[in-house]
Amino acid sequence: MKTIVRLSVLVLLAGMLAMSAAKPTRVIFFGDSITQAGVNPGGYIDRLKKVLPADHFELIGAGIGGNKIYDLFLRMDEDVLAKQPDVVVIWVGVNDVWHKATSGTGTDPDKFIKFYNAVIKKLQAANIKVVLCTPAAIGEKTDMTNQQDGDLNQYSKFIRDIAQTQNLPLVDLRKAFLEYDLQNNAENKDRGVLTTDRVHLNDAGNQFVADQMQKVLTTAK
């Protein structure tokens, strides 16, 4: 009888372990309107769902249009932590730079770094793996004459430095976009190569971002 009970317990434990092993890695993409659109058909998150096996990855979008880094900090409890992700991909920064010129409500460098680190710290306190992304583009001209190129490069460097200091995975979209445009934007257009309006992604841009994300996600899970 004792042998039967022990066998039953072992079978139950084996089943529980199998269920645990089969649990997909839950990934939340945390960002602004680019990520909000990423869940739509053809968006970068939608494209990732089609190439990453569903039994290995559960992909969730948590993007809200107009968000800056402090918006992410303020809503992370409800929109991220409550969903208990395994990995969070932070892609923010465009509005922190862009809104300086459009509405005067951007984020100063010192505040950007402070809030960015605070978001990472809170995620890590919940044992969540963090993946960082640099902001990709506000204009696609290749001769560095887009209005916000200087600030965008500066804020991208902030994120690269944080990634290096904390040994975090980085999807360097700023660098990748610049390299792609140099090869594919011979006319020096400000949009239409990877973006529809200098910022938001067209079909090629969504595929390009999905490709960049996939490279990191498959090693960060």
Side-chain angles (χ1 to χ4, degrees):
M1 185 66 178
K2 289 183 178 179
T3 302
I4 294 173
V5 171
R6 287 173 182 168
L7 285 173
S8 298
V9 171
L10 287 173
V11 170
L12 179 61
L13 287 172
M16 291 174 65
L17 286 171
M19 290 176 64
S20 176
K23 181 179 177 290
T25 299
R26 179 173 293 175
V27 182
I28 290 183
F29 296 87
F30 197 24
D32 50 35
S33 59
I34 302 172
T35 292
Q36 186 175 27
V39 300
N40 295 335
Y44 78 89
I45 298 171
D46 178 62
R47 291 170 188 257
L48 281 168
K49 287 182 178 180
K50 293 175 180 176
V51 296
L52 294 175
D55 58 337
H56 289 173
F57 291 93
E58 178 189 5
L59 307 182
I60 300 171
I64 294 181
N67 266 200
K68 307 175 189 67
I69 186 60
Y70 55 81
D71 296 303
L72 267 58
F73 179 78
L74 292 173
R75 67 181 177 90
M76 64 189 303
D77 284 348
E78 181 177 351
D79 291 355
V80 177
L81 296 177
K83 298 175 183 176
Q84 299 183 317
D86 302 296
V87 179
V88 170
V89 179
I90 303 172
W91 186 13
V92 73
V94 161
N95 293 320
D96 298 88
V97 170
W98 196 13
H99 289 185
K100 289 182 180 183
T102 59
S103 59
T105 59
T107 309
D108 292 336
D110 59 333
K111 291 183 175 64
F112 183 83
I113 294 169
K114 181 178 180 179
F115 275 105
Y116 207 105
N117 279 312
V119 169
I120 294 170
K121 184 177 180 180
K122 199 164 185 178
L123 292 171
Q124 290 177 330
N127 295 317
I128 297 167
K129 293 182 180 178
V130 182
V131 176
L132 309 185
C133 303
T134 52
I138 306 175
E140 295 192 71
K141 292 182 179 180
T142 59
D143 59 357
M144 286 296 151
T145 59
N146 303 294
Q147 183 182 358
Q148 284 89 19
D149 276 340
D151 281 348
L152 211 56
N153 289 336
Q154 180 187 27
Y155 283 54
S156 294
K157 186 178 185 305
F158 294 154
I159 295 170
R160 291 186 192 113
D161 290 346
I162 292 170
Q164 184 175 12
T165 300
Q166 300 197 32
N167 194 29
L168 296 173
L170 175 69
V171 185
D172 198 342
L173 292 171
R174 178 65 179 159
K175 180 174 182 287
F177 266 56
L178 289 172
E179 290 174 350
Y180 185 95
D181 275 326
L182 282 169
Q183 295 178 8
N184 297 279
N185 188 11
E187 298 175 16
N188 199 36
K189 297 183 294 183
D190 72 340
R191 69 195 71 191
V193 183
L194 293 171
T195 74
T196 59
D197 59 357
R198 303 186 304 127
V199 172
H200 299 93
L201 306 174
N202 60 18
D203 286 344
N206 275 296
Q207 186 59 56
F208 186 71
V209 168
D211 291 341
Q212 304 304 309
M213 295 281 190
Q214 183 181 357
K215 295 174 187 175
V216 174
L217 284 179
T218 51
T219 59
K221 59 173 290 188

